[in-house]
């Protein structure tokens, strides 16, 4: 099973649309998991044109009144995948993410929130964060592909574009 992992799209707050390279990266996936901070349910509609989408609520979704589950667990190829936004502080704290995975009974935990891609195996849990294809923090714009075959796992970070500085929105300074 091939699963596309994405998080922190922040559409339309921080970008007008999902980059075309996301659709290209997810072209052959069986399922898409969005780990929160969509900020618009249109993101699910757009991604659903590729494959079924499972999405959970991020902190910015909650602020916008978007009603999605806070966490979810699914089974794929004999492994349990937990999905949560990963609102831990400091952001991306491994120990706290492992606790979330253990609470969900997950072999793999997919989170977002930090806007930084991460692949880390610790304490019997595979922690995955696809980063952000829109507004990364000190990283490239990314998504992930997770392939599971008979409990064998392969993960790939897909670079969607170069790092960006959201303070440099030059569209607001267009000349007439």
């Amino acid at each position: 099973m091939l699963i596309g992992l994405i998080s922190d799209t922040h559409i339309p707050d921080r970008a007008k649309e999902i980059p075309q390279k996301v659709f290209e990266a997810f072209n052959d996936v069986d399922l898409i998991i969005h780990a929160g901070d969509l900020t618009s349910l249109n993101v699910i509609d757009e991604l659903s044109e590729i494959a079924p989408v499972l999405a959970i609520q991020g902190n910015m979704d909650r602020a916008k009144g978007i009603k999605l589950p806070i966490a979810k667990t699914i089974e794929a190829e004999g492994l349990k995948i937990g999905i949560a936004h990963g609102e831990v502080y400091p952001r991306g704290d491994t120990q706290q993410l492992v606790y979330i995975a253990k609470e969900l009974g997950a072999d793999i935990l997919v989170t977002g929130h930090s806007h930084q891609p991460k692949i880390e195996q610790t304490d019997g849990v595979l922690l995955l964060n696809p980063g952000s294809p829109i507004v990364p923090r000190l990283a490239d714009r990314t998504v992930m592909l997770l392939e599971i075959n008979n409990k064998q796992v392969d993960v790939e970070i897909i670079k969607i574009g170069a790092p960006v500085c959201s303070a440099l929105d030059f569209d607001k300074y267009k000349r007439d």
Side-chain angles (χ1 to χ4, degrees), residues 46-61:
E46 288 184 45
L47 292 173
S48 291
E49 293 178 15
I50 303 169
V53 177
L54 287 177
I56 54 89
Q57 184 184 79
N59 57 301
M60 297 304 293
D61 299 321

Side-chain angles (χ1 to χ4, degrees), residues 6-83:
I6 188 168
S7 187
D8 299 287
T9 48
H10 294 275
I11 304 289
D13 302 348
R14 299 185 188 170
K16 293 176 182 116
E17 59 189 19
I18 300 169
Q20 186 59 38
K21 288 185 179 181
V22 171
F23 296 99
E24 293 167 13
F26 288 171
N27 190 44
D28 295 324
V29 302
D30 302 303
L31 175 69
I32 297 171
I33 293 175
H34 196 302
D37 279 358
L38 302 84
T39 68
S40 168
L41 292 175
N42 290 341
V43 171
I44 294 173
D45 295 338
E46 288 184 45
L47 292 173
S48 291
E49 293 178 15
I50 303 169
V53 177
L54 287 177
I56 54 89
Q57 184 184 79
N59 57 301
M60 297 304 293
D61 299 321
R62 198 167 40 257
K64 296 259 181 204
I66 295 174
K67 305 273 189 231
L68 290 168
I70 292 173
K72 213 173 219 184
T73 305
I74 63 166
E75 191 164 323
E77 299 280 332
L79 294 174
K80 282 194 174 180
I81 302 173
I83 310 151

Side-chain angles (χ1 to χ4, degrees), residues 16 47 52 71 90 118 129 171-172:
K16 293 176 182 116
L47 292 173
K118 177 181 192 167
N129 185 325
D171 284 345
K172 62 185 169 188

